[in-house]
Amino acid sequence: MSLLEIDRVGLRFGGIVALDGVSFAVERGQICGLIGPNGAGKTTLFNCVTRHYTPDEGTITYDGRDILTVEPHEVIGLGIARTFQNLGLFELMTVRDNVLVGAHHRMTATNFVTAPLRLPGVRAEERRVRADVDALLDRLDLTAVADRPAQGLPLGTLKRVELARALASQPRLLLLDEPANGLNHAEVEELQDVVLRLREDFDLTVLVVEHHMAFVMSISDAVVCLNFGQEIASGTPDEIRQDPAVIEAYLGPDT
Amino acid sequence: MTWRERLRDPTTQRWLRIAVFVAMLGIALWAPFYFTPFRVFQFTRVLIFAIAVLGLGLLTGFNGQISLGHGAFFAIGAYTAAALMEKAGWPFLLVVPVALLITFALGYGVGIPALRLHGLYLALVTLALAVVTPPILKRFSGITGGAMGLNIDIPQAPAWTGLAEDQFLYLLALVAAIAAFALARNLVDSRTGRAMIAIREDELAAETMGVDLARVKTLAFAWSAMYAGLAGVLFTWTIGFVSPESFTITLSISILAALVVGGLGSIWGALLGAAFLVYLPSVADDLNQAAPGIAFGALLIIAMYVFPGGIAGLARRLWGRLLAPPRAPAPATAGASTEEGGEP
Ligand SMILES: Nc1ncnc2c1ncn2[C@@H]1O[C@H](COP(=O)(O)OP(=O)(O)OP(=O)(O)O)[C@@H](O)[C@H]1O
Ligand SMILES: [Mg+2]
């Protein structure tokens, strides 16, 4: 059984058909690239998986479970974490606190009664999670900026903070929305490495939206291409590179 | 090590914090035995307002929900105490849990419609709450004493303590304030506090990270209202009299003003803002006897300009400058970002 199954998912906004019967599956341990021109519906599909949008039709199954039955804040508890196309960081919080919020769902001993009283369970949990988070910060080269507010740090750093925050939830499925956007050449190369190694070390399955073709093609095991909400091709990176429909979608019909 | 490096060291900072806390506690305990009853009464008022301002700070400063109606919860705390003591003859300490429970529940109740309201709309709805409070208090005169209000006996210290009334009330307020500040600090420094701040910063991202928005926002409202309720109880104890005129819209606005002046997003700012609130009117009075209200407003506006992050923000900036090494360190990142897109 695949980890994530998108089955004939459709969603329209007024007159705009953002998703039109999209179906594909992401296998366990796979890195799956999701490409397509601007407005193709890639981010909308992410928002459906994280429950911020509810599709008009179709089903989304994660690990054999119908995801459309859970609340948006419960999605991360299933093991699905994401990053945002335009960064969704908490700007005035420190880098460390941002990443700690990623561990929110697994800190069940701390609530509005136990936290003010700082009961022993709260302290133990906080200590444990802080150790995890410090290890993640170290791994993503963020220790030096850990106590700085996110606001004002360079984009490359912020992208790593967002990645660390997603990883702090200990996900099984990681959704990355244009992780390479805005990075320079060296940073993109480094990111390829990081994603591949994170998959090994944390047993991740990754669905990644990206316009940077060299990046997607080099890390993906499979690629799905959307255009105007429809799935126009899927296959290995090599197949996709040569697919006439994909070439046409990107270059226009007359070239 | 230079003295700056020594000050930046986390262990030094920890000891410094403890030293400052012990020194402040010492001063706080010594003050009621040194100053005149009038001064001690002013300190008591600062502590009481500090609790209310802190409560609003949890909601507005940390969670990003504005309330112009916290005077209403303050009033309910005050009237619960007054009615139970005066009409039912309860001992003064017993009214505390009841008043806390009632204001917590009411705060939770107001937090539910607040989930659908943002910014200005929430400000207006809570403002309405503050506006309707005095007429409602007048209306239910069976419990509240109507426009006449209620007189209660001010709690007296047990004889063996030898404390005067003003000293006893001050110490009650001090204990309540220390508890309120300790609980708030623990809350803010926890998973739950981070969730509150995350909601203020970006609701959608917070929800994606697993924060149950409705739960955190309603409970933040409940806690915040409970703090105002506690301040109300202390108010009744110290003044010995409640009437609708004490809880007009001015009270709600004053609490918010004190929060802004003290510093949004800072725990200790609440104390500074409360001190400002208690001492400013006398300063304003000296400045312009004809129109103290206008002088008060003008001073408030000036304070907001001079200290954009509140007094607490100013203190933090000065402290940061003191600690900063002579030259700012280079940002420790893997290289500058470029805006070059990666189009195929
Ligand atoms: N909340 C919304 N309301 C109305 N229209 C929306 C909304 N969200 C997305 N859309 C529309 O749906 C279509 C798909 O948008 P989407 O953001 O998914 O594209 P994308 O593939 O992520 O594009 P890009 O590569 O530019 O990020 C677009 O036409 C967009 O305008
Ligand atoms: Mg997008």
Side-chain angles (χ1 to χ4, degrees):
Chain A
M1 189 180 48
S2 319
L3 186 61
L4 182 70
E5 285 173 46
I6 314 283
D7 189 23
R8 282 163 294 174
V9 166
L11 177 58
R12 43 173 72 237
F13 296 105
I16 300 168
V17 183
L19 292 172
D20 187 3
V22 174
S23 299
F24 67 92
V26 183
E27 306 302 328
R28 282 164 213 275
Q30 207 178 43
I31 296 182
C32 178
L34 183 59
I35 63 170
N38 293 111
K42 307 177 296 291
T43 300
T44 303
L45 186 73
F46 270 22
N47 284 332
C48 288
V49 176
T50 57
R51 295 292 292 113
H52 287 105
Y53 295 159
T54 299
D56 300 326
E57 55 200 40
T59 57
I60 301 175
T61 316
Y62 168 81
D63 202 16
R65 176 170 181 173
D66 178 7
I67 220 173
L68 301 180
T69 60
V70 304
E71 297 285 321
H73 71 267
E74 294 168 337
V75 169
I76 200 161
L78 300 176
I80 303 176
R82 77 177 281 186
T83 64
F84 294 88
Q85 182 169 351
N86 299 310
L87 294 175
L89 288 170
F90 311 119
E91 298 218 320
L92 296 184
M93 295 174 88
T94 64
V95 166
R96 179 180 280 109
D97 281 353
N98 265 281
V99 179
L100 279 166
V101 175
H104 180 86
H105 80 91
R106 54 195 183 91
M107 300 182 75
T108 48
T110 310
N111 58 41
F112 269 97
V113 176
T114 60
L117 298 173
R118 196 164 284 187
L119 297 182
V122 171
R123 288 173 204 236
E125 182 171 79
E126 184 83 12
R127 233 187 340 259
R128 184 164 49 74
V129 170
R130 277 184 185 269
D132 291 354
V133 164
D134 282 346
L136 266 179
L137 289 173
D138 192 41
R139 165 144 199 175
L140 289 174
D141 213 2
L142 292 165
T143 306
V145 293
D147 295 312
R148 292 229 232 149
Q151 195 176 44
L153 293 173
L155 185 65
T157 310
L158 295 177
K159 292 246 169 192
R160 292 206 305 282
V161 176
E162 239 203 342
L163 188 57
R165 184 178 66 177
L167 290 170
S169 70
Q170 300 183 339
R172 284 192 290 157
L173 174 64
L174 190 58
L175 308 175
L176 303 175
D177 200 345
E178 305 201 11
N181 183 29
L183 301 188
N184 65 32
H185 188 70
E187 286 173 325
V188 172
E189 300 231 305
E190 194 188 318
L191 182 66
Q192 287 177 9
D193 248 36
V194 169
V195 173
L196 289 171
R197 269 187 294 140
L198 288 174
R199 166 174 64 171
E200 290 309 313
D201 297 352
F202 296 117
D203 261 333
L204 291 174
T205 304
V206 183
L207 180 59
V208 53
V209 167
E210 192 43 78
H211 287 294
H212 193 299
M213 281 305 143
F215 175 81
V216 214
M217 295 302 178
S218 79
I219 64 166
S220 300
D221 304 304
V223 177
V224 175
C225 181
L226 298 183
N227 195 18
F228 295 116
Q230 290 182 331
E231 183 190 334
I232 57 170
S234 68
T236 64
D238 282 336
E239 288 164 2
I240 292 294
R241 242 190 295 260
Q242 283 149 29
D243 191 296
V246 175
I247 295 169
E248 186 180 304
Y250 273 100
L251 299 177
D254 295 320
T255 36
Chain B
M1 269 205 275
T2 69
W3 61 272
R4 276 202 172 92
E5 279 167 353
R6 211 166 290 157
L7 271 182
R8 268 207 307 274
D9 180 53
T11 342
T12 320
Q13 292 216 351
R14 185 148 169 247
W15 281 109
L16 259 178
R17 259 200 296 275
I18 293 174
V20 168
F21 178 76
V22 170
M24 276 175 46
L25 189 65
I27 293 172
L29 287 173
W30 159 83
F33 302 99
Y34 179 78
F35 289 99
T36 61
F38 172 72
R39 290 277 166 221
V40 173
F41 180 69
Q42 272 188 329
F43 298 154
T44 309
R45 284 191 42 195
V46 171
L47 292 172
I48 294 173
F49 275 118
I51 294 171
V53 175
L54 178 60
L56 184 62
L58 290 176
L59 183 70
T60 304
F62 287 93
N63 195 214
Q65 300 191 74
I66 194 165
S67 168
L68 278 171
H70 259 47
F73 301 114
F74 192 107
I76 287 158
Y79 266 93
T80 303
L84 286 177
M85 288 168 70
E86 167 61 22
K87 302 263 168 188
W90 285 32
F92 73 97
L93 279 178
L94 265 192
V95 305
V96 175
V98 179
L100 295 186
L101 220 72
I102 290 177
T103 44
F104 186 91
L106 284 173
Y108 190 85
V110 175
I112 293 170
L115 289 174
R116 307 195 157 272
L117 301 167
H118 285 265
L120 189 60
Y121 296 100
L122 184 55
L124 287 174
V125 168
T126 49
L127 179 71
L129 205 64
V131 170
V132 300
T133 301
I136 288 179
L137 289 173
K138 282 184 195 147
R139 182 85 186 67
F140 294 96
S141 53
I143 310 169
T144 64
M148 303 292 295
L150 288 173
N151 273 299
I152 63 139
D153 295 330
I154 290 178
Q156 299 297 323
W160 56 264
T161 57
L163 291 169
E165 183 181 280
D166 62 294
Q167 293 167 337
F168 182 56
L169 293 173
Y170 169 87
L171 291 174
L172 284 175
L174 183 66
V175 169
I178 289 175
F181 275 83
L183 293 175
R185 202 203 65 129
N186 288 347
L187 176 64
V188 166
D189 279 348
S190 74
R191 171 231 199 197
T192 308
R194 289 189 295 267
M196 285 165 58
I197 303 170
I199 289 174
R200 177 193 76 193
E201 296 286 295
D202 187 335
E203 285 201 1
L204 189 77
E207 190 175 44
T208 307
M209 292 301 126
V211 176
D212 184 344
L213 300 181
R215 191 183 148 80
V216 173
K217 290 174 84 170
T218 47
L219 284 171
F221 223 118
W223 266 85
S224 172
M226 185 173 74
Y227 269 58
L230 175 63
V233 171
L234 290 161
F235 176 89
T236 298
W237 287 352
T238 48
I239 309 289
F241 172 67
V242 290
S243 84
E245 301 317 315
S246 312
F247 308 108
T248 59
I249 177 74
T250 312
L251 174 63
S252 294
I253 291 177
S254 300
I255 295 172
L256 185 62
L259 175 66
V260 174
V261 170
L264 286 157
S266 147
I267 292 279
W268 295 107
L271 191 60
L272 301 170
F276 199 78
L277 197 63
V278 169
Y279 290 103
L280 191 65
S282 55
V283 178
D285 224 19
D286 290 344
L287 273 181
N288 186 346
Q289 302 225 322
I294 291 177
F296 179 77
L299 282 176
L300 261 182
I301 291 169
I302 292 169
M304 288 179 196
Y305 263 104
V306 180
F307 322 124
I311 306 174
L314 180 76
R316 231 192 332 259
R317 272 206 304 283
L318 292 178
W319 179 239
R321 191 162 308 165
L322 187 72
L323 289 192
R327 228 157 18 95
T333 50
S337 59
T338 62
E339 279 309 312
E340 172 189 303
E343 298 295 330

